[in-house]
């Protein structure tokens, strides 16, 4: 099958999105990054199991894990948000447009025809799907390894109320959705960076660096006026989901912040891609 014909098949109704998801999740690089993320809860659980005595003192979160293995998921998400998730999200989103350009397939997709707006939307949808898969993987692996190495029982929330394992499982899903939502702005930035170059590594590096810069700026008290506008400002603001009753205030505030970045950088990505001459 020729390359133009193969690309043409990808542009049938709803086929382009399915093809994009297959492209993202069939790559060995994607599976390697997901495996690395899955190691985070595994290593945390093993380290706590080997080094922490249940009857001794220690940091609160370690005590929570040893008393209830369900806390492995929460701890793994908290550890992954500042570094590991932005790193892998930067790699995937930075490859969206630049990856196709480097392989010389964009012009075939547009001739098919696909349409430049549809192309951008599908590429962004693939990055969002990866964000969701990555966060759910951390939660599921954390719950599994926690149940294997530690006892499972009622979970004490931040408000002091105890809930059963199933109720906490629902909150864990909300945590995963919150973290996925937190990565939407960064994914849009990566999409825009990817539209500026034909070198995927450059877009990936720029996206990851910007994630680090945003978090550094968020720690500077002299820039407290800027903090509410940084896309990373509410990454760790999911405490309301671990209270009884559940409050969605932080969820809503984070959604508005991230959607603002999606709107701005999504428009910039489309504007850049719609006006450029596609030669690759």
């Amino acid at each position: 099958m020729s390359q133009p014909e193969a690309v043409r098949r990808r542009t049938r109704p709803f086929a382009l999105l399915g093809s994009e998801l297959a492209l993202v999740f069939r790559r060995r690089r994607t599976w390697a990054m997901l495996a690395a993320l899955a190691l985070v809860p595994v290593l945390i659980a093993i380290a706590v199991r080997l080094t922490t005595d249940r009857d001794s003192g220690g940091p609160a979160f370690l005590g929570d894990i040893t008393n209830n293995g369900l806390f492995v998921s929460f701890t793994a998400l908290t550890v992954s948000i500042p570094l590991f998730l932005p790193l892998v999200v930067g790699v995937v989103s930075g490859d969206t447009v630049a990856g196709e350009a480097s392989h010389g397939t964009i012009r075939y997709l547009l001739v098919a025809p696909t349409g430049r707006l549809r192309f951008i939307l599908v590429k962004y949808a693939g990055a969002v799907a990866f964000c969701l898969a990555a966060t759910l993987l951390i939660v599921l692996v954390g719950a599994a390894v926690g149940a294997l190495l530690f006892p499972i029982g009622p979970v004490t929330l931040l408000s002091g109320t105890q809930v059963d394992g199933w109720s906490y499982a629902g909150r864990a899903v909300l945590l995963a959705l919150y973290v996925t939502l937190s990565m939407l702005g960064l994914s849009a930035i990566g999409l825009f960076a990817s539209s500026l170059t034909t070198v995927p590594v450059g877009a990936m590096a720029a996206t990851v660096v910007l994630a680090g810069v945003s978090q550094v700026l968020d720690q500077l008290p002299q820039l407290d006026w800027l903090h509410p506008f940084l896309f990373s400002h509410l990454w760790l603001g999911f405490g309301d989901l671990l209270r009884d009753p559940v409050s969605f205030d932080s969820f809503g505030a984070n959604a508005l912040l991230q959607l603002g970045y999606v709107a701005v950088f999504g428009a910039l990505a489309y504007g850049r891609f719609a006006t450029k001459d596609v030669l690759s």
Side-chain angles (χ1 to χ4, degrees), residues 9-29:
R9 289 191 174 186
R10 293 171 55 186
T11 59
R12 295 172 181 171
F14 302 106
L16 186 61
L17 178 59
S19 178
E20 178 64 21
L21 295 178
L23 179 66
V24 172
F25 288 102
R26 285 178 181 173
R27 287 174 170 166
R28 294 181 180 179
R29 179 181 65 198

Side-chain angles (χ1 to χ4, degrees), residues 133-271:
T135 53
L136 287 176
L137 178 68
I138 293 174
V139 169
L140 293 176
V141 173
V145 72
L148 181 65
L149 298 180
F150 303 102
I152 298 294
V155 178
T156 302
L157 302 176
L158 297 179
S159 57
T161 307
Q162 281 195 337
V163 297
D164 58 28
W166 289 110
S167 296
Y168 181 77
R171 293 169 188 268
V173 172
L174 288 177
L175 286 174
L177 292 177
Y178 184 97
V179 174
T180 301
L181 181 68
S182 298
M183 295 294 117
L184 295 187
L186 181 62
S187 297
I189 292 173
L191 179 71
F192 173 59
S194 187
S195 69
L196 298 176
T197 180
T198 59
V199 182
V201 174
M204 296 174 190
T207 306
V208 174
V209 168
L210 285 175
V213 169
S214 178
Q215 293 182 81
V216 170
L217 294 177
D218 200 30
Q219 300 301 315
L220 299 178
Q222 296 84 353
L223 298 177
D224 56 351
W225 58 271
L226 180 63
H227 295 171
F229 303 101
L230 297 173
F231 61 86
S232 62
H233 181 60
L234 295 174
W235 278 3
L236 296 174
F238 42 68
D240 289 345
L241 302 177
L242 297 176
R243 301 183 186 279
D244 190 26
V246 176
S247 173
F248 289 94
D249 292 343
S250 60
F251 201 106
N254 192 28
L256 287 176
L257 177 63
Q258 301 304 325
L259 291 179
Y261 274 88
V262 171
V264 171
F265 284 94
L268 289 174
Y270 174 69

